Amino acid sequence: MNQGPSRRGFLSTAAALGMSAAAMELLAACGSGGAQPAATGAGPAGKPTRGGRLTVATGGAKGSDTLDPVLLNSAPVSFMARVLYDQLADFSNDLQYRLAMAELIEPNKAGDEWTIRVKDGIEFHNGKTLDADDVIFTFKRTFTQTGSVTVGKFKPYVDLDEIKKVDKRTIRMKLLRPNSTFHYALASPHKIVPVDFDPRNPVGTGPFKYKSFTANRQWVCERFANYWNADGESEPSDSAAPAGLGGKPYLDELVVNVINDDSARINALVTGQVDAINMVQFAQIPLIGQHQQLKLLESETGAWTGIYMNMEEPPFDDVRVRQALRLAIDRAQALSSCVSGHGRVAYDLPEPYAPGYPTELTRKRDIEKAKALLKEAGKENITVELVAGPVSAEAVSMATVLANNAAEIGITIKVRQVDTATLFGPQFHSWPFSVDKWPAQGNYLTLLALTDLSESTTLTHMPKADLDALRDLHDKALSTVDEAKRAELTKQMYQIQFDRGGWIIPFFANVVNAHHAKVAGWPKQDASGRSFGNAHFEQLYLTG
């Protein structure tokens, strides 16, 4: 295998792709220094090998990125949390619930008391054995850490004073109210850390352990030899590792370089600077097909990018304006122009794999009805600003499509494009009109607790009457053990969102990554949409 292109050849290729000089220099810097450049083999994938370094490039990063698993403040932070840490329970790549580091998660009959017992002998990266004290510490830290993203799904139910240690591996939690889906909340991101965890020198139980980190530049992780799930079942793959390769992880080292510029990121793969990339722009997909050694990794997902309207701010405090915009957007056009058809049309309701998801709730584009709603509201010929940033490959183009469509009903939308640092800055939870992206949570009740029902992380700021109605249904659903009845209550919550909500979700985009053919073991599916096969790097291996 060669060692990649010369700097002159690299810059020439970059220029051909239309990259800026700054992006070229950024990519050149990422390909030099500590991390060895990824080679671009001249032939087909060869014999599976154990060990080696995998270098990937990610977009969506920012200067405030962190190693703290309760913050999860960007796409790469979210998927890297899966690399360094692990959970009591998890969702598979097809969003099926399963136990992970817990051998038991069980409620009482009323659903207001839960017993959790961790598996015996699981080791942290520092040699400490996972026990009940670590689980209790993690819950307390989730509640006390400033900026915690995951606290919203626990705060209405968990009483920290009622978490009791039963024995070395078991805790019992008396909840503030019944919650029949508490196990799903544990399977949505909730990374267990050891007592006295320090995010500056992070320790977890994941397949790779921390080596170095520079925000908005690079993560470096190395193989954890005592990974608890080394011989566990892997996600289905068309190139699963052969039995003789040993226990997971198969790689010695994982390097994640930050390349936020879309053209620079794909050029890094084309020119051999990295072995794989995420957030492939849909217009760039044909470029991958021009290179025999490169392959696409694409999956349908339940992840979603949405345009949200802050219902405390005019004109979005009027449901007729919100509904007019939902009627104005051309969903088929958005799917085609934003993601080149790589996805499926949606109708403003998230979590398509959730129990109770109402596939029957659809809406057709209706310009005349939208105009009539605006006239009735006295909101004709208004101008609004939509703040958009690259939270996903499709976010900015989605905003542009809405702006063009809205002009047909007399609304002028001025799209202001910002970087992710600005978008997720101090104004993030108070923008009147903006964008966000969420990976699939596997359950709509969990998503609601993290978004519209959360006082700290809500973006739509629903009116009190609608919020109270949602909370009432949410509480009833959580206290309902019967799955069919819970699904029916979930449908009623979706109906409120469909009629009066603040999200515009025109489609569910596929997640698209690309990689060199020498990298094998990729999962076939990534319904969560977190990218890189839901960050299951532990099952990847190199061939040569």
Side-chain angles (χ1 to χ4, degrees), residues 116-190:
I116 300 172
R117 183 168 63 245
V118 299
K119 293 174 180 175
D120 190 23
I122 293 178
E123 187 177 315
F124 283 102
H125 299 156
N126 61 0
K128 182 188 183 302
T129 300
L130 171 68
D131 59 26
D133 292 328
D134 302 310
V135 178
I136 295 172
F137 173 81
T138 298
F139 271 108
K140 290 182 177 179
R141 188 173 185 277
T142 299
F143 273 69
T144 57
Q145 187 70 10
T146 301
S148 173
V149 172
T150 56
V151 68
K153 61 185 177 182
F154 295 127
K155 195 172 183 180
Y157 312 101
V158 173
D159 184 346
L160 294 179
D161 294 330
E162 291 296 331
I163 304 178
K164 306 298 183 183
K165 180 178 177 180
V166 176
D167 59 39
K168 189 173 182 179
R169 294 193 289 123
T170 310
I171 68 167
R172 186 163 292 130
M173 306 177 65
K174 179 69 175 178
L175 303 185
L176 294 169
R177 65 186 79 174
N179 186 340
S180 61
T181 66
F182 187 67
H183 55 310
Y184 290 146
L186 295 174
S188 173
H190 181 59

Side-chain angles (χ1 to χ4, degrees), residues 183-250:
H183 55 310
Y184 290 146
L186 295 174
S188 173
H190 181 59
K191 310 301 180 186
I192 303 300
V193 296
V195 171
D196 298 326
F197 173 79
D198 181 357
R200 295 168 298 182
N201 187 28
V203 169
T205 56
F208 293 88
K209 58 185 180 179
Y210 164 80
K211 187 174 181 180
S212 66
F213 168 68
T214 304
N216 209 29
R217 186 173 180 85
Q218 188 182 73
W219 285 262
V220 181
C221 307
E222 57 188 358
R223 180 179 185 271
F224 180 42
N226 295 330
Y227 175 45
W228 71 274
N229 201 30
D231 299 318
E233 186 178 354
S234 295
E235 293 292 334
S237 171
D238 289 329
S239 55
L245 214 56
K248 297 175 289 187
Y250 306 117

Side-chain angles (χ1 to χ4, degrees), residues 270-428:
V270 169
T271 59
Q273 300 294 299
V274 300
D275 302 307
I277 62 172
N278 67 357
M279 298 178 69
V280 173
Q281 297 294 302
F282 296 93
Q284 296 173 329
I285 288 176
L287 178 62
I288 301 298
Q290 295 173 16
H291 297 268
Q292 184 179 359
Q293 304 305 319
L294 303 183
K295 293 180 178 293
L296 284 173
L297 183 67
E298 180 174 2
S299 172
E300 285 193 350
T301 81
W304 51 282
T305 297
I307 298 170
Y308 64 85
M309 298 169 278
N310 184 335
M311 292 181 255
E312 289 183 338
E313 299 288 336
F316 307 115
D317 55 345
D318 192 317
V319 65
R320 292 168 293 190
V321 175
R322 302 195 298 271
Q323 289 294 71
L325 284 170
R326 286 169 151 188
L327 289 167
I329 191 164
D330 187 329
R331 298 167 194 275
Q333 179 195 33
L335 178 66
S336 175
S337 62
C338 296
V339 298
S340 302
H342 290 260
R344 58 204 190 279
V345 166
Y347 300 97
D348 310 318
L349 300 177
E351 289 295 326
Y353 298 120
Y357 188 81
T359 55
E360 69 276 10
L361 290 183
T362 62
R363 51 169 52 98
K364 294 182 179 179
R365 190 174 193 235
D366 193 330
I367 296 298
E368 294 308 312
K369 185 176 179 180
K371 287 180 177 179
L373 285 171
L374 293 176
K375 184 176 182 179
E376 181 183 321
K379 303 292 185 182
E380 296 174 286
N381 300 314
I382 59 175
T383 299
V384 294
E385 180 182 73
L386 172 52
V387 179
V391 296
S392 65
E394 65 272 13
V396 175
S397 58
M398 181 187 292
T400 302
V401 168
L402 178 62
N404 291 337
N405 292 161
E408 297 181 51
I409 62 171
I411 294 181
T412 300
I413 296 178
K414 295 183 177 179
V415 178
R416 176 158 70 97
Q417 188 171 345
V418 299
D419 58 23
T420 51
T422 302
L423 185 72
F424 292 125
Q427 290 184 271
F428 180 53

Side-chain angles (χ1 to χ4, degrees), residues 77-97:
V77 168
S78 179
F79 73 69
M80 286 306 294
R82 297 186 64 85
V83 171
L84 295 169
Y85 311 100
D86 222 319
Q87 307 189 162
L88 299 169
D90 202 356
F91 287 102
S92 63
N93 274 23
D94 60 354
L95 293 181
Q96 297 300 305
Y97 171 84

